[in-house]
Amino acid sequence: MIDVLIHSPYPRQRSQGNAVTAKRMVNLLRDSGLAAALHERGDAPLKAKCLIALNGRKGAEEIFKFLQRQPDNPVIALLTGTDVNHPEMEQPDSITRKALELSTAIVSLHDGFAHRIPKHLLEKTEVIYPSVMLPDPLDHSPSKPPKVIIAGNFRAEKNPSLMMKAVREMKESPLHFHAYGQGGDYQRDLERTAAECPHFYFHGVKEHDVLLGEMQAAHVLLNTSTQEGGANAICEAIALGLPVVPSRIAGNMGMLGENYAGFFPVEEVTKLIEILGRAAKNHDFYQLLKEQIATRAPLFSHQRETEQWVNLIHRMLK
């Protein structure tokens, strides 16, 4: 019997955040000596000493099935943006809440979601920040002209419309914008913006190492989301020492800290443009962002994440 079964609701080949997290965790646990396996929707059931289910809502069915097969074995629910921010979190009889009630432990990727988790469930909730393993050596060294990186698959929650609006209003800015990810429903808009704005480049999906290299040479990472669990790109930016200009939402505040100076109010393009302009032209402000990013980096260390997960699993298996 394997030690840990990690269930992800998304196919292995996707670059969606849950799938990225699941792959990282399988490798992390295997490297620590635990027998871990990845399980996805539609896979044949596997017996395991412990289940980690990504996404309390989309992983609820697997939690129920696992407990039917192995009612005495522990279940850890790993919260993401699409379950914490879903209305079901506030509904006691919902599938999400039932899955979390049945879980032995709950893990949040940062401390920004405490206000969304029912108080009685907070008692069994732990915060474990995700880690990033960078190619060695890889450190932030911005190139010229200054580049703004936008990384992630483009969907409504990511608010690419606000990003493209800012791009169009910043044609006189020295900043060049580079967008990476699946265009989805915004493919045509992204291509049109690239055709009409010489300082905007839509690259589509690139290899992860290529994207990390671009982030290494960027001036800032831009995140315009209206809803976010904990963007992998922000984790990587923190590890690189790359300043972030993010929307002020719970997921981003949990990653960067409530007092981070680079936040702009959700949907406020004027404030977004102002922050980007300060980051491009104000040396002292830019250095402040770099210093604040550096103070967050220890939270995302690989050693710290590994120790916390291994300690939690060993406690569950006693």
Side-chain angles (χ1 to χ4, degrees):
M1 183 185 298
I2 61 174
D3 295 318
V4 184
L5 184 64
I6 298 174
H7 176 76
S8 170
Y10 295 98
R12 288 175 174 82
Q13 68 271 21
R14 290 190 59 171
S15 57
Q16 204 275 349
N18 287 175
V20 172
T21 298
K23 293 172 188 175
R24 188 190 77 253
M25 289 189 58
V26 167
N27 293 331
L28 177 152
L29 294 178
R30 286 175 178 171
D31 289 345
S32 68
L34 290 166
L38 178 60
H39 181 274
E40 295 182 335
R41 187 177 297 164
D43 288 353
L46 290 174
K47 287 190 174 182
K49 296 177 183 177
C50 174
L51 171 71
I52 298 176
L54 275 66
N55 196 309
R57 182 169 64 91
K58 294 181 180 179
E61 183 179 348
E62 184 58 32
I63 290 175
F64 301 148
K65 289 180 178 178
F66 182 86
L67 289 174
Q68 286 177 350
R69 296 193 305 267
Q70 301 169 259
D72 297 326
N73 290 19
V75 169
I76 302 171
L78 177 56
L79 298 178
T80 68
T82 53
D83 49 10
V84 174
N85 290 316
H86 197 275
E88 283 194 7
M89 182 60 78
E90 300 174 357
Q91 301 167 2
D93 295 330
S94 67
I95 296 297
T96 300
R97 285 285 294 276
K98 288 178 181 177
L100 296 179
E101 297 282 356
L102 289 172
S103 296
T104 317
I106 300 170
V107 170
S108 176
L109 295 176
H110 52 72
D111 60 7
F113 284 142
H115 67 292
R116 293 287 299 161
I117 302 171
K119 289 184 178 179
H120 71 286
L121 294 180
L122 280 174
E123 298 175 359
K124 60 179 179 181
T125 300
E126 297 191 25
V127 173
I128 302 179
Y129 287 86
S131 65
V132 176
M133 293 290 285
L134 297 175
D136 188 29
L138 192 60
D139 200 6
H140 183 228
S141 179
S143 61
K144 292 184 179 180
K147 297 191 297 185
V148 177
I149 296 290
I150 306 100
N153 296 329
F154 295 95
R155 55 187 188 274
E157 304 96 294
K158 296 286 187 179
N159 203 5
S161 298
L162 181 70
M163 176 271 291
M164 288 184 279
K165 184 176 182 180
V167 165
R168 291 181 178 279
E169 294 188 22
M170 297 184 73
K171 288 186 176 181
E172 305 303 319
S173 167
L175 293 170
H176 286 211
F177 294 78
H178 294 259
Y180 295 86
Q182 294 176 354
D185 293 338
Y186 294 87
Q187 181 80 20
R188 289 186 179 179
D189 291 337
L190 290 161
E191 292 174 348
R192 186 181 302 113
T193 302
E196 296 173 357
C197 301
H199 63 305
F200 177 75
Y201 307 84
F202 174 52
H203 302 279
V205 178
K206 296 294 181 182
E207 292 294 327
H208 189 233
D209 287 349
V210 172
L211 179 56
L212 284 177
E214 293 299 316
M215 290 174 65
Q216 177 192 18
H219 195 67
V220 297
L221 173 75
L222 173 61
N223 179 295
T224 56
S225 294
T226 57
Q227 180 176 299
E228 190 79 73
N232 286 308
I234 290 182
C235 300
E236 292 165 345
I238 292 171
L240 281 166
L242 170 64
V244 184
V245 175
S247 51
R248 183 178 285 280
I249 58 174
N252 290 342
M253 288 190 289
M255 302 286 274
L256 292 158
E258 292 186 7
N259 296 322
Y260 181 67
F263 287 120
F264 65 90
V266 178
E267 295 284 10
E268 290 196 17
V269 69
T270 301
K271 190 64 176 179
L272 165 57
I273 291 171
E274 177 190 330
I275 295 290
L276 286 173
R278 288 182 68 192
K281 300 175 182 178
N282 187 321
H283 175 76
D284 290 342
F285 178 68
Y286 189 70
Q287 289 305 308
L288 172 61
L289 296 184
K290 285 189 69 70
E291 290 168 6
Q292 290 181 320
I293 288 289
T295 64
R296 302 295 288 183
L299 295 173
F300 297 85
S301 78
H302 183 70
Q303 180 179 352
R304 177 190 175 107
E305 183 188 24
T306 299
E307 289 177 352
Q308 288 183 293
W309 271 112
V310 170
N311 289 339
L312 173 60
I313 290 168
H314 282 166
R315 293 201 311 270
M316 295 294 100
L317 295 180
K318 282 185 177 179

